[in-house]
């Protein structure tokens, strides 16, 4: 009986101890189940997040493709417009030259007919009547060759090609960053300026520090609402003092605003530059290899004028003339900009 009591006591003790551990197991299972639920929930959230990220990247890819299609479309249109503009100018020039050729040919035929008529009369027998007819015929056949007005057949690529990449880039609303001259820089004494053969001592002119021998170069000059200005390029050996002529004949290739109109400073007289609006910024494109310099309305990149630099010898410098102040109406400075991507 004593042994049975001990056995019951052991059984009660073991059962109690076992129940405690079973409860702990149950709690552990519940905790793990909670972790499993949390794990699966996190898995679902991650799957959904992956789908969302995939969708967003796919959407961005479609957006990039659409933007590039727009760019390609824009570039195709720009190319088509440029080619069309080039072809129209080509047809115009060729048409003018062919018309001139036709007029010359017509005069040639008239002259040949006059020769034939005179030869026929020359072969007739001598008579008083013939003398009178020859006199009258000579008056009628007094035909002179009058050359038709010449046609400008010079083709400057700057008017159609020029800084084409920058022009297209600018049309696409890109931005440029200004590089301005240092207005606060201390000027040398007047005596030094007068002794320096490189300084202009009669006009308000300045040449750029950097010169160009080869390659293609582009810069812009902000002219704002100035009433007068002159910008372009010049040879190093141009006269610095009082100049009777400052045109292409003396090594200047420039545009000038005067009296509300823009002219190209050509020799022997200026060439009017047709433009619907006065530009506030002038683009200058120097192509040393082609020996050309072209000017643009830098806001719209519309071509203004192109020079063929036939007498380009030595280095070429940017040239600027802000002109006189015009009683304060033209006091604004010229500012140079270098485009940067």
């Amino acid at each position: 009986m004593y042994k049975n009591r001990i056995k019951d006591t052991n059984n009660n003790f073991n059962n109690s101890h076992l129940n405690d551990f079973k409860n702990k197991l149950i709690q552990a299972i519940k905790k793990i189940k909670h972790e499993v639920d949390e794990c699966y929930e996190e898995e679902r959230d991650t799957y959904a997040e992956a789908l969302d990220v995939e969708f967003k990247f796919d959407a961005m890819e479609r957006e990039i493709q659409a933007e590039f299609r727009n760019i390609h479309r824009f570039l195709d249109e720009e190319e088509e417009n440029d080619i069309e503009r080039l072809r129209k100018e080509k047809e115009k020039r060729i048409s003018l030259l062919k018309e001139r050729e036709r007029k010359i040919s017509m005069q040639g035929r008239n002259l040949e007919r006059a020769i034939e008529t005179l030869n026929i009369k020359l072969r007739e027998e001598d008579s008083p009547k013939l003398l009178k007819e020859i006199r009258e015929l000579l008056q009628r056949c007094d035909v002179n060759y009058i050359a038709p007005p010449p046609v400008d057949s010079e083709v400057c690529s700057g008017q159609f090609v020029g800084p084409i990449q920058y022009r297209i880039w600018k049309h696409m609303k890109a931005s440029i960053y200004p590089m301005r001259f240092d207005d606060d820089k201390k000027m040398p004494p007047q005596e030094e300026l007068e002794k320096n053969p490189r300084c202009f001592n009669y006009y308000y002119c300045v040449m750029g520090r950097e010169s160009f021998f080869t390659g293609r170069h582009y810069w812009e000059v902000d002219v704002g609402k100035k009433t007068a200005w002159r910008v372009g390029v010049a040879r190093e050996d141009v006269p610095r003092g009082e100049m009777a002529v400052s045109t292409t004949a003396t090594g200047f290739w420039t545009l000038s605003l005067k009296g509300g109109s823009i002219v190209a400073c050509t020799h022997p007289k200026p060439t009017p530059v047709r433009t619907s609006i006065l530009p506030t910024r002038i683009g200058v494109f120097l192509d040393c290899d082609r020996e050309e310099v072209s000017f643009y309305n830098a806001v719209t990149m519309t071509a203004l004028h192109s020079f063929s630099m036939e007498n380009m010898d030595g280095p070429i410098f940017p040239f600027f003339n802000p002109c006189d102040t015009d009683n304060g109406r033209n006091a604004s400075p010229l500012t140079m900009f270098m485009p940067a991507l």
Side-chain angles (χ1 to χ4, degrees):
M1 188 171 184
Y2 175 75
K3 290 182 178 180
N4 290 335
R5 195 181 308 121
I6 293 175
K7 186 176 181 181
D8 291 341
T9 302
N10 289 338
N11 288 336
N12 290 336
F13 172 80
N14 291 338
N15 288 336
S16 175
H17 192 62
L18 182 61
N19 289 334
D20 289 340
F21 274 91
K22 284 185 176 180
N23 288 333
K24 289 181 180 180
L25 285 176
I26 292 171
Q27 295 301 321
I29 291 170
K30 289 181 178 180
K31 183 178 181 299
I32 294 173
K33 283 186 176 180
H34 177 75
E35 295 290 336
V36 170
D37 293 341
E38 186 175 347
C39 178
Y40 286 148
E41 184 178 359
E42 193 72 22
E43 181 185 9
R44 288 192 297 271
D45 291 345
T46 304
Y47 176 75
E49 187 177 1
L51 290 178
D52 184 58
V53 169
E54 183 180 11
F55 174 79
K56 289 179 179 177
F57 272 97
D58 289 344
M60 283 192 289
E61 181 178 338
R62 289 191 296 271
E63 184 178 358
I64 290 173
Q65 291 173 340
E67 288 296 329
F68 272 95
R69 280 196 297 271
N70 290 334
I71 293 174
H72 291 317
R73 190 181 305 113
F74 171 83
L75 291 175
D76 290 341
E77 291 175 357
E78 286 289 316
E79 179 184 2
E80 187 177 328
N81 292 337
D82 278 2
I83 295 297
E84 181 64 20
R85 187 163 59 93
L86 181 70
R87 287 173 177 167
K88 284 183 177 179
E89 184 64 22
K90 172 186 172 184
E91 292 173 0
K92 175 185 173 183
R93 297 282 188 95
I94 292 176
S95 176
L96 291 173
L97 287 168
K98 286 190 175 295
E99 177 62 17
R100 188 172 191 271
E101 180 187 11
R102 187 189 66 79
K103 291 180 179 178
I104 294 173
S105 176
M106 185 172 64
Q107 289 196 59
R109 290 195 297 271
N110 290 340
L111 291 169
E112 289 177 349
R113 281 196 293 268
I115 292 173
E116 184 179 355
T117 302
L118 293 174
N119 280 329
I120 292 174
K121 189 58 65 176
L122 191 62
R123 290 194 292 269
E124 292 184 6
E125 295 183 0
D126 297 343
S127 66
K129 180 182 178 183
L130 177 62
L131 177 61
K132 180 181 178 182
E133 289 178 349
I134 289 177
R135 287 174 178 172
E136 294 176 352
L137 188 60
L138 286 173
Q139 292 178 353
R140 292 200 309 272
C141 293
D142 186 14
V143 182
N144 296 317
Y145 169 64
I146 302 175
V151 175
D152 182 13
S153 58
E154 184 179 10
V155 179
C156 290
S157 65
Q159 186 178 359
F160 300 97
V161 183
I164 190 167
Q165 293 179 352
Y166 177 66
R167 175 165 57 84
I168 298 302
W169 169 72
K170 193 156 189 179
H171 282 178
M172 295 169 69
K173 307 296 184 183
S175 61
I176 59 176
Y177 304 93
M179 291 178 61
R180 299 176 181 269
F181 289 128
D182 186 2
D183 295 333
D184 298 330
K185 186 176 180 180
K186 186 177 180 180
M187 294 296 292
Q190 183 64 28
E191 296 78 11
E192 293 185 18
L193 291 176
E194 292 175 355
K195 293 178 182 177
N196 189 342
R198 293 177 56 83
C199 290
F200 291 88
N201 51 43
Y202 189 81
Y203 296 101
Y204 303 103
C205 302
V206 64
M207 291 172 68
R209 178 180 299 178
E210 183 180 2
S211 62
F212 304 108
F213 293 87
T214 60
R216 305 164 74 189
H217 312 276
Y218 180 79
W219 62 92
E220 296 181 356
V221 183
D222 194 340
V223 297
K225 295 183 179 180
K226 289 177 65 64
T227 59
W229 47 260
R230 187 176 179 186
V231 298
V233 297
R235 286 202 314 256
E236 185 178 24
D237 60 352
V238 294
R240 265 47 171 200
E242 185 174 357
M243 296 173 282
V245 177
S246 59
T247 64
T248 51
T250 52
F252 291 89
W253 296 275
T254 58
L255 292 192
S256 176
L257 172 66
K258 187 175 182 181
S261 299
I262 297 178
V263 296
C265 301
T266 51
H267 184 79
K269 60 181 182 178
T271 300
V273 174
R274 296 179 180 177
T275 178
S276 57
I277 57 173
L278 288 179
T280 57
R281 184 178 292 191
I282 302 296
V284 184
F285 178 66
L286 173 64
D287 190 335
C288 296
D289 301 330
R290 291 178 181 267
E291 296 191 345
E292 293 179 5
V293 60
S294 302
F295 296 83
Y296 304 85
N297 179 336
V299 176
T300 61
M301 291 309 292
T302 303
L304 296 175
H305 187 80
S306 293
F307 289 96
S308 177
M309 307 165 71
E310 297 176 354
N311 54 343
M312 174 183 169
D313 296 316
I316 299 297
F317 290 81
F319 176 85
F320 312 91
N321 183 354
C323 300
D324 58 43
T325 60
D326 191 18
N327 295 322
R329 291 187 293 270
N330 194 43
S332 300
L334 294 176
T335 305
M336 181 178 176
F337 289 77
M338 296 294 290
L341 292 174

